[in-house]
Amino acid sequence: MNNEIKNIAVLTSGGDSPGMNAAIRAVVRNAVYNNLKCYGIYQGLQGMIDDEFSELGPRSVRNLINRGGTFLKSARSEEFKTKEGRSRAYENLKKHAIDALVVIGGDGSFTGASIFGEEYDIPVVGIPGTIDNDINGTDYTIGYDTALNTVVEAIDKIRDTASSHNRLFLVEVMGRDAGDIALNTGIGAGAEEILVPEEDLGTDRLMESLNNSKKSGKTSSIIVVSEGDQIGKNITALADYIKTNLEGYEVKVTVLGHIQRGGSPSCYDRVLATRLGVGAVDALIEGKKKIMIGISHKKIVQVPLETAIYNKKVFDTDLLRVADIVSI
Ligand code: F6P
């Protein structure tokens, strides 16, 4: 037990994700369970600079586990990237006598928090929260499972109308740098093609495959395109290209957008967020600093924050092979 830690603060930063509220709830309750005071910082890292602190107790986080978004709000802070900004943030932490931080967010948020922790010798624990599932050192991030379910439900609906009208739909899903959402929802929703940022399979292969599908008797098609995909960078341009080079289909584009970031978290995300939140406070009590709490093979693990920030998560290329096989 590290007796020095008495007051901790929790914040959410970067793009929000369903389940962040459940993680905050678990952090607050485990802190209070262990006789620590817990503050919430509103507006992410920027809120630390602007002194937006509020003490939270077990009842401040009631009726939250089922709510999407983050009640602490989230923001991306340019000011926190500056030494002056971080120095103001530190003054505010001192004012509230906070001696450790829990940051729920993605690798960008971890980077800022890690620099800050190093500069001012403040223990920092990260909890991976992003729908993209692109954080190294954890099998899953909070919000990813919910986003998958949202996307699959949407594509199922698109499939109904695509097949009624013999249309080809390009469906853009989120994932600026990561294809996990596209790949898994593509398989789950039975897409003909899945385009991801990690692999540029080329337009020739795409056209050949669509032609083969048509010849084999398919009357409609769904292509799931990750927003960061190499050949689908501009989804409308890709749609135009397909229109010009493939006969017999009417081509439509649907961009799912931020609908993927909202909604009530799935049970999986609620449980994951709760376990990670409890794990974060446990780690601080054990005296850990600069780590991320993740999940690996169903077990809660502590990973150096550097591993999460600087190493790229390995992309499961075998899933692409699986997708290829089942889309003949
Ligand atoms: O949360 C991650 C992510 O969804 C990315 O896939 C996407 O590119 C980005 O956030 C968009 O976020 P915003 O609109 O908040 O800048």
Side-chain angles (χ1 to χ4, degrees):
M1 165 94 185
N2 180 344
N3 290 321
E4 281 172 18
I5 290 184
K6 293 192 176 67
N7 305 324
I8 69 166
V10 58
L11 61 87
T12 47
S13 172
D16 64 347
S17 66
M20 280 184 162
N21 278 325
I24 300 165
R25 170 181 179 268
V27 168
V28 172
R29 291 195 173 167
N30 196 19
V32 175
Y33 184 84
N34 284 286
N35 301 313
L36 306 177
K37 261 194 193 173
C38 187
Y39 286 81
I41 302 175
Y42 289 82
Q43 309 288 353
L45 296 167
Q46 185 61 37
M48 225 195 302
I49 300 173
D50 298 338
D51 196 12
E52 296 199 50
F53 292 66
S54 171
E55 192 182 336
L56 302 173
R59 298 289 77 75
S60 331
V61 289
R62 70 180 148 202
N63 296 333
L64 266 189
I65 193 157
N66 54 328
R67 274 176 47 199
T70 160
F71 89 101
L72 287 178
K73 314 266 182 176
S74 192
R76 294 186 171 98
S77 172
E78 284 306 312
E79 209 179 340
F80 201 80
K81 291 181 184 160
T82 67
K83 253 188 172 310
E84 298 71 39
R86 293 195 296 274
S87 153
R88 279 179 57 200
Y90 179 63
E91 290 309 314
N92 289 326
L93 279 198
K94 271 205 307 196
K95 183 166 122 191
H96 297 281
I98 287 160
D99 30 42
L101 268 185
V102 177
V103 175
I104 306 168
D107 54 356
S109 314
F110 292 169
T111 306
S114 163
I115 294 169
F116 179 75
E118 193 83 350
E119 267 172 357
Y120 295 103
D121 196 24
I122 298 273
V124 172
V125 173
I127 296 179
T130 161
I131 64 163
D132 290 349
N133 203 36
D134 60 349
I135 299 183
N136 189 50
T138 186
D139 291 345
Y140 298 108
T141 56
I142 297 170
Y144 172 61
D145 182 67
T146 307
L148 292 184
N149 291 319
T150 302
V151 172
V152 163
E153 196 184 328
I155 300 178
D156 286 350
K157 289 177 179 163
I158 290 169
R159 175 181 290 283
D160 289 344
T161 177
S163 95
S164 303
H165 289 271
N166 294 349
R167 283 173 172 165
L168 181 149
F169 269 83
L170 289 142
V171 183
E172 186 185 278
V173 300
M174 274 190 170
R176 197 170 21 204
D177 308 306
D180 282 39
I181 295 179
L183 189 49
N184 285 277
T185 58
I187 291 174
E192 273 63 43
E193 291 293 329
I194 303 167
L195 307 182
V196 294
E198 290 86 350
E199 298 269 333
D200 183 355
L201 300 173
T203 3
D204 292 348
R205 194 214 55 88
L206 175 68
M207 296 315 295
E208 190 190 329
S209 170
L210 290 174
N211 271 310
N212 289 343
S213 294
K214 209 155 193 326
K215 278 190 211 135
S216 77
K218 288 193 184 182
T219 53
S220 65
S221 268
I222 292 183
I223 307 178
V224 178
V225 186
S226 193
E227 66 173 315
D229 165 61
Q230 320 258 325
I231 56 172
K233 236 173 204 129
N234 180 341
I235 195 166
T236 39
L238 181 63
D240 288 343
Y241 182 85
I242 295 172
K243 266 181 218 165
T244 319
N245 293 284
L246 184 75
E247 290 199 347
Y249 276 138
E250 214 184 321
V251 181
K252 296 275 175 186
V253 170
T254 300
V255 177
L256 294 183
H258 288 77
I259 193 173
Q260 296 161 91
R261 288 242 293 257
S264 178
S266 66
C267 184
Y268 181 85
D269 274 330
R270 296 179 198 194
V271 176
L272 175 68
T274 302
R275 292 181 73 192
L276 296 179
V278 166
V281 176
D282 287 348
L284 287 174
I285 292 170
E286 286 162 20
K288 300 284 169 57
K289 41 173 75 174
K290 270 186 91 176
I291 57 159
M292 177 186 79
I293 305 297
I295 188 158
S296 174
H297 301 97
K298 296 190 185 164
K299 295 259 182 296
I300 296 303
V301 289
Q302 299 180 352
V303 183
L305 219 38
E306 278 86 5
T307 307
I309 296 169
Y310 299 114
N311 300 349
K312 209 168 161 35
K313 193 170 189 171
V314 177
F315 183 68
D316 189 352
T317 42
D318 191 55
L319 272 185
L320 271 180
R321 185 184 69 87
V322 168
D324 220 29
I325 293 170
V326 295
S327 63
I328 56 165

